[in-house]
Amino acid sequence: MDAPVIGAPMTKRRESPPCALQTLAWLSPLGTIRVDACDKGVHAIRFLMDVAPAERSGEGPPSLRPVSGGSAETSPELRRCLEWLRAYFADPSGAGTLPPPPAFHHPALGADTFTSRVLHVLFRDVKVGETVSYKQLAEMAGNPRAARAVGGAMRKNPIPLIIPCHRVISSSGQSGPYMSGRGDRLKQWLLAHEGRRLTHDRRQLDQVLKKKKKRKTNT
């Protein structure tokens, strides 16, 4: 079943053939990252966890290598994804100079669910180098009491890094678990790589909520 891309107007869903996915793997400072995409957008980004982050952090720019799947030519959205990832690992502090992210085409991101809403808010409002607590993100998504559900949404995130679930941390300021504990070191590497700043304070959170309210008023 087709899923609308992020930013596209919601339309009535119709049955359609499964997407023809193309898969590429990228050898990164975090080991191998696998990206699945179709012509309409990225479906998934996966860490294969084949190398500990610290073992590659001092190496030069990573290289791309294709794996089986997809057509002979790389789809435009897959190319955009790989360009974004390459720029992110080269210099995450230049958030304003990162290329536009690819479109997303995973069904979970087009569903009318709290998980989808949380992931959209995280993608839109929590920038490179920023962090937010589970409780704050729940409030930003419109349900201040849903911190536990936010944790569940982070575990279901199909497109980590670009939808930055690594920027969601514990209220204590600790980085907290990542990938059910398997990726804790990876999360710490990413936060350090981004030069993590202070968690969203109350004033920043109020500004985000005010913008959200204004968007609702204008729709």
Side-chain angles (χ1 to χ4, degrees):
M1 186 174 288
D2 240 0
V5 299
I6 279 187
M10 296 291 290
T11 56
K12 186 176 180 180
R13 294 184 179 187
R14 289 175 292 183
E15 292 294 335
S16 60
C19 293
L21 292 181
Q22 184 176 13
T23 300
L24 286 182
W26 192 29
L27 186 61
S28 80
L30 305 174
T32 304
I33 296 176
R34 183 166 290 174
V35 182
D36 300 328
C38 67
D39 288 339
K40 295 181 180 179
V42 173
H43 284 241
I45 293 177
R46 290 170 285 168
F47 299 104
L48 299 194
M49 305 291 287
D50 52 351
V51 175
E55 294 180 26
R56 280 197 202 277
S57 58
E59 292 192 0
S63 59
L64 294 173
R65 60 177 174 83
V67 294
S68 60
S71 60
E73 294 185 2
T74 305
S75 71
E77 291 303 329
L78 185 51
R79 285 199 301 270
R80 286 179 65 191
C81 181
L82 299 180
E83 287 168 5
W84 189 97
L85 290 170
R86 182 181 288 115
Y88 171 83
F89 282 113
D91 182 18
S93 61
T97 62
L98 286 175
F104 303 150
H105 204 243
H106 190 284
L109 297 171
D112 185 16
T113 63
F114 183 70
T115 291
S116 176
R117 184 160 72 249
V118 167
L119 293 175
H120 279 262
V121 168
L122 176 62
F123 170 74
R124 185 187 64 222
D125 294 332
V126 184
K127 307 303 182 183
V128 172
E130 298 178 349
T131 55
V132 65
S133 72
Y134 294 91
K135 182 178 180 181
Q136 288 172 326
L137 184 55
E139 186 171 352
M140 291 162 66
N143 190 344
R145 298 183 178 181
R148 188 179 295 274
V150 165
M154 297 306 99
R155 289 190 292 274
K156 296 174 184 176
N157 179 14
I159 307 179
L161 290 183
I162 300 180
I163 300 179
C165 51
H166 62 278
R167 296 178 196 152
V168 185
I169 64 173
S170 302
S171 297
S172 65
Q174 298 296 312
S175 60
Y178 194 55
M179 298 172 63
S180 300
R182 295 180 297 112
D184 291 358
R185 288 182 63 191
L186 188 152
K187 183 175 186 176
Q188 293 163 9
W189 191 99
L190 289 170
L191 292 174
H193 181 62
E194 294 185 1
R196 167 188 161 188
R197 298 189 292 274
L198 294 176
T199 303
H200 277 60
D201 59 24
R202 185 68 243 180
R203 185 172 60 179
Q204 288 175 305
L205 185 57
D206 287 343
Q207 289 173 347
V208 169
L209 295 173
K210 188 179 294 184
K211 287 180 182 178
K212 180 181 176 183
K213 185 175 181 181
K214 187 175 181 180
R215 280 194 294 268
K216 281 186 176 180
T217 303
N218 293 336
T219 56

